[in-house]
Amino acid sequence: MNRRDWMGWIVGGLSLPGSTWAQSAEPVRLGVDGLLQDTGLAGRWKAAMGRDLGLAANWVREPSGTILRQLESGELPIGLFLSHPLADRLEQQGLIHDRHTLARTQVLLVGPASDPAGVRGEHDVVRALHQILAGQAAGACRWLPAPKDSALAGLSDTLTSTLGAQHLPARAASSASAGTSLPPYQWLTMADWQKMSRAERQARKVLVDQDPRLWLTCQVARSFKTPHPAGKLLVKWLQGPLGKQAVTASGSVWQKPQG
């Protein structure tokens, strides 16, 4: 389907006499992960939606875990979130549907340039994480957990699920521990890394970045509990040529999904 045919289908669907969307002037509440806004992807989508669909939307910024729980409860009819283990559970339970992957961005395991945990050269991210947490337990370094409900916290939970409970940190190392003068080991998105100052990057090293598990995907899904008449059309539009064009804009840290 070319762009003209695609837009004809969308506009035709919106303007059908008596269509559900035509009868509703209520803006759709759209949950959006902050990374999508901070990297400009949500802004490009928002501008294109307004221009090409005339679609009014209230963009609700929340962490991905919060968006998914609000989709589960019906507080949000549709959400743009980053890959998170909660999404799989909700889809299996039939609480979200029309779930699609729209884009992906890289995650980096970053630590102090001196690498006191001895991770450099390790290509398996789970083994690297095990070394870091063991180093923290010995007081040699710090591990900084990702913010609660973030997609990075979800990624960390997935990767550490095979480790013993004694290796799972509930919080950052105590300030009394050795190594606290050094930058912590932590997950960073590519966008986080790029916005750091030169001095901040010089004090750190990207230690693992090639493990195929180190990716976050941007996904969209709708709630079963509160369907909105514009929801299905919006999901289709995001998967179409104009939605994809926003993903691959020049300078973007986002890529098209694989497959």
Side-chain angles (χ1 to χ4, degrees), residues 5 13 17 35 61 75 84 96 103 116 120 154-155 179 181 185 239 251:
D5 291 340
L35 183 66
R61 180 182 176 122
E75 186 176 343
H84 194 286
I96 60 173
R120 189 175 288 108
L155 174 66
S181 61
Y185 289 89
Q239 297 176 80

Side-chain angles (χ1 to χ4, degrees), residues 107-122 125 127-147 152 156 169 171-173 178-189 193 196 200 203-208:
V107 175
L108 311 171
L109 179 59
V110 176
S114 59
D115 188 24
V119 171
R120 189 175 288 108
E122 178 59 72
V125 67
R127 286 200 297 263
L129 186 56
H130 186 279
Q131 284 183 231
I132 292 166
L133 297 179
Q136 174 175 264
C141 61
R142 291 184 297 144
W143 168 251
L144 183 63
L152 289 176
S156 192
R171 55 186 180 275
T180 54
S181 61
L182 298 173
Y185 289 89
Q186 63 186 127
W187 305 118
L188 291 178
T189 65
W193 178 250
M196 278 187 168
E200 288 175 316
R204 294 166 171 81
K205 288 288 184 183
V206 175
L207 298 167
V208 183

Side-chain angles (χ1 to χ4, degrees), residues 178-236:
T180 54
S181 61
L182 298 173
Y185 289 89
Q186 63 186 127
W187 305 118
L188 291 178
T189 65
M190 182 61 74
D192 294 329
W193 178 250
Q194 290 181 354
K195 72 182 182 183
M196 278 187 168
S197 69
R198 178 180 295 182
E200 288 175 316
R201 286 200 298 267
Q202 285 178 340
R204 294 166 171 81
K205 288 288 184 183
V206 175
L207 298 167
V208 183
D209 62 349
Q210 296 301 313
D211 192 301
R213 291 167 286 187
L214 289 181
W215 289 87
L216 293 177
T217 59
C218 168
Q219 300 179 342
V220 63
R222 294 192 287 146
S223 171
F224 267 110
K225 292 188 176 180
T226 54
H228 189 282
K232 186 173 182 179
L233 287 172
L234 178 54
V235 171
K236 290 289 186 184

